[in-house]
Amino acid sequence: EIIACLTSSKLSPSIRAANPNMEISQLVMGSAALVALGIVVAMALSRKTKAPLSAEEVALIKATWAVVETLPTETVGVILFTHIFRFAGSQVEAVAKMFMFSREPGFSLGRLNQSAGLRKHGAGVVNTVTTAVGMLTDLPGLVPVLVDLGKRHKNYGVVPLHYDVVGQALLATLEEGLPKGTYTAEVKSAFAKMWGVVATTMQSECGY
């Protein structure tokens, strides 16, 4: 899938407990967000370098996601996947086929909100991101997991372009879904930097 996910042995017990019925493949953006936030802490602790996100940016990410939590979860998920497929451009059909829900009878890229599988998948992704944002103080040591996750991505057929697609889709989802005036330049910058850390670290040992 566009974002291959952590296996049960790697998945945080907190996330597994919060989502007992979630398929591993449903952790698409959630797992990425989890490790994204984790690397901010882990890199600072293990490499003694300046964290790629400031404390203010981390606080802004948390505050912004708290607003997202007030929106209907399925709606946010549908918006996210709408943008993923939009940014996929000419590769949209191939990208859609990476997801199980695309195999549902009657599935159509023009009617995503009518796909029960997509709505369930999207809601699972959004719920996992919510769990991840709440775990900011419990994420040291996730850099090796993030690198391993990137290697798994490659095995699932993910290429660098896919990281760009998901990153753009995340920002577009925030811009569309947040109340007017909430998606500021500072919010965009913080989330873009967060995703940049994720994408770079996940690809660091993939040999692309």
Side-chain angles (χ1 to χ4, degrees):
E1 297 199 8
I2 230 178
I3 292 291
C5 300
L6 297 172
T7 62
S8 326
S9 62
K10 295 287 187 182
L11 187 61
S12 163
S14 299
I15 292 182
R16 178 60 67 192
N19 303 277
N21 299 316
M22 186 182 296
E23 297 177 4
I24 289 177
S25 63
Q26 288 178 305
L27 300 177
V28 180
M29 288 291 296
S31 291
L34 170 61
V35 291
L37 297 171
I39 199 170
V40 173
V41 177
M43 286 183 68
L45 293 177
S46 64
R47 301 181 183 179
K48 299 184 184 301
T49 59
K50 181 180 179 181
L53 293 178
S54 68
E56 290 77 15
E57 288 170 325
V58 171
L60 183 58
I61 289 171
K62 294 182 68 175
T64 301
W65 198 258
V67 177
V68 175
E69 289 184 74
T70 68
L71 307 174
T73 307
E74 284 192 356
T75 299
V76 177
V78 171
I79 293 173
L80 172 64
F81 277 94
T82 297
H83 288 301
I84 285 175
F85 294 139
R86 176 168 69 88
F87 285 114
S90 62
Q91 299 299 312
V92 62
E93 296 288 345
V95 170
K97 289 178 181 178
M98 293 181 176
F99 297 94
M100 291 293 293
F101 55 70
S102 70
R103 301 167 198 172
E104 292 177 348
F107 174 80
S108 170
L109 287 168
R111 300 189 302 274
L112 296 182
N113 64 336
Q114 295 181 24
S115 168
L118 183 145
R119 293 198 307 271
K120 179 180 179 181
H121 189 112
V125 168
V126 174
N127 285 334
T128 306
V129 175
T130 299
T131 301
V133 171
M135 294 172 62
L136 275 173
T137 58
D138 189 31
L139 297 177
L142 274 178
V143 169
V145 175
L146 185 57
V147 171
D148 181 66
L149 184 60
K151 292 177 181 178
R152 292 173 185 272
H153 279 61
K154 185 176 182 180
N155 291 337
Y156 283 105
V158 171
V159 297
L161 175 63
H162 292 154
Y163 289 92
D164 295 336
V165 167
V166 175
Q168 292 178 76
L170 174 61
L171 296 179
T173 298
L174 292 170
E175 182 175 17
E176 179 177 344
L178 290 170
K180 184 177 180 179
T182 307
Y183 186 72
T184 63
E186 292 77 16
V187 167
K188 180 179 180 179
S189 176
F191 276 89
K193 286 174 67 175
M194 181 190 78
W195 183 255
V197 172
V198 171
T200 298
T201 307
M202 289 179 67
Q203 296 175 75
S204 62
E205 295 186 18
C206 290
Y208 287 125

